[in-house]
């Protein structure tokens, strides 16, 4: 076996593109329509959290109770506002280093998967012209359990035909880092170390990441195992 074979699985929101601002604006509009406010600090806590769980957290912060049917309606309303915003996204919203790293991985023949909680990943990838980089896409439409459950990354590795120990996950959310650890994969945390406990490596964005560095990371991690 070639021990330098690696595969990469990317979270979408906050790693490849900056959509948090749109989630924030749409959730804030919803909270305000229900008579309470929603802060940027609260929005931070929703990173990597799926749509219905995010709504539950927001209603809880606002002290508002809704039936299951009402929650479905509210989530649909928020999503319609969010989709209006992301429909206007352009390549300029791809985060620093993303295009360079995806291109370098592609050039080296390294398989690439998406591992996202979002049910809107198809539209975002299309608007930002990233779709063609991916050999497999696993998003909120394809999983039954959300991060920190490892399902999204395990499915991604299976679709790539890669062993978990050969996979590197890129994540900006603590729940995503935990999911990658549970999947027994290497994980590069994107953001601040204090917010991403357990990550093998931390980077502020993808611009400092090299293919050689990733191969070394997998080798080192296997050496320690
Ligand atoms: C994650 C975001 O990627 O996707 C969360 O970090 C978001 O904030 C989740 O709630 C679900 O997104 P969507 O597009 O399916 O509502
Ligand atoms: Mg994210």
């Amino acid at each position: 076996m070639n021990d330098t074979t690696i595969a990469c699985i990317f979270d979408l929101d906050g790693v490849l593109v900056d959509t948090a601002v749109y989630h924030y604006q749409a959730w804030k509009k919803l909270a305000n329509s229900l008579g309470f406010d929603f802060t940027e600090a609260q929005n931070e806590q929703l990173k990597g959290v799926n749509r219905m769980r995010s709504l539950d957290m927001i209603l809880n912060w606002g002290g508002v109770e809704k039936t299951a049917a009402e929650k479905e309606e509210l989530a649909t309303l928020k999503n319609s506002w969010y989709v209006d915003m992301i429909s206007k996204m352009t390549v300029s919203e791809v985060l620093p280093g993303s295009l360079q790293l995806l291109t370098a991985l592609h050039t080296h023949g390294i398989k690439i998967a998406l591992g996202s909680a979002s049910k809107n990943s198809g539209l975002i990838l299309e608007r930002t012209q990233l779709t063609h980089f991916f050999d497999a896409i696993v998003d909120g439409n394809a999983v039954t359990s959300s991060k920190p459950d490892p399902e999204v990354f395990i499915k991604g590795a299976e679709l790539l035909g890669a062993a978990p120990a050969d996979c590197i996950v890129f994540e900006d959310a603590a729940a995503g880092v935990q999911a990658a650890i549970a999947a027994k994969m290497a994980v590069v945390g994107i953001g601040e170390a204090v917010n991403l406990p357990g990550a093998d490596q931390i980077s502020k964005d993808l611009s400092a990441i090299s293919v050689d560095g990733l191969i070394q990371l997998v080798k080192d991690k296997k050496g320690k195992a």
Side-chain angles (χ1 to χ4, degrees):
M1 194 189 86
N2 176 359
D3 69 355
T4 59
T5 301
I6 63 166
C8 292
I9 308 180
F10 289 87
D11 174 49
L12 178 63
D13 298 313
V15 171
L16 296 172
V17 292
D18 187 11
T19 44
V21 59
Y22 302 129
H23 279 298
Y24 174 60
Q25 287 171 16
W27 283 130
K28 189 176 173 72
K29 188 169 171 180
L30 190 77
N32 290 169
S33 77
L34 295 169
F36 60 92
D37 205 10
F38 172 65
T39 66
E40 287 190 50
Q42 287 169 327
N43 195 54
E44 279 299 303
Q45 295 181 53
L46 302 182
K47 277 186 180 174
V49 178
N50 71 24
R51 194 181 308 162
M52 294 312 289
R53 173 88 188 112
S54 297
L55 177 62
D56 279 337
M57 289 170 70
I58 291 166
L59 293 177
N60 190 40
W61 287 326
V64 170
E65 280 189 30
K66 295 286 176 189
T67 64
E70 287 168 337
K71 285 186 201 175
E72 284 297 336
E73 274 180 31
L74 291 171
T76 301
L77 185 59
K78 179 266 174 178
N79 192 56
S80 69
W81 295 329
Y82 178 69
V83 167
D84 279 348
M85 290 186 267
I86 59 173
S87 297
K88 299 182 192 101
M89 284 180 84
T90 70
V91 277
S92 67
E93 288 163 89
V94 173
L95 286 168
S98 303
L99 278 177
Q100 291 83 343
L101 180 58
L102 289 168
T103 303
L105 292 169
H106 193 67
T107 306
H108 281 77
I110 294 168
K111 295 266 186 256
I112 305 171
L114 190 81
S116 167
S118 175
K119 293 186 171 178
N120 293 302
S121 72
L123 175 59
I124 295 168
L125 292 176
E126 184 200 316
R127 289 297 314 163
T128 54
Q129 298 178 22
L130 294 177
T131 314
H132 67 281
F133 284 111
F134 292 89
D135 300 292
I137 290 181
V138 185
D139 68 6
N141 300 298
V143 294
T144 48
S145 306
S146 45
K147 301 168 188 176
D149 189 283
E151 182 185 3
V152 64
F153 297 136
I154 289 172
K155 277 202 169 147
E158 278 171 7
L159 287 172
L160 295 182
D166 293 328
C167 292
I168 301 157
V169 169
F170 297 84
E171 254 299 344
D172 72 316
V177 170
Q178 294 312 309
I181 293 169
K184 300 192 164 38
M185 297 175 184
V187 53
V188 176
I190 303 297
E192 302 290 330
V194 66
N195 299 325
L196 301 165
D200 295 296
Q201 195 176 298
I202 297 283
S203 199
K204 80 170 171 29
D205 58 35
L206 296 174
S207 54
I209 313 271
S210 70
V211 172
D212 285 347
L214 294 175
I215 291 170
Q216 194 59 47
L217 173 64
V218 166
K219 272 188 185 167
D220 291 349
K221 202 163 165 77
K222 282 183 178 174
K224 279 186 211 153

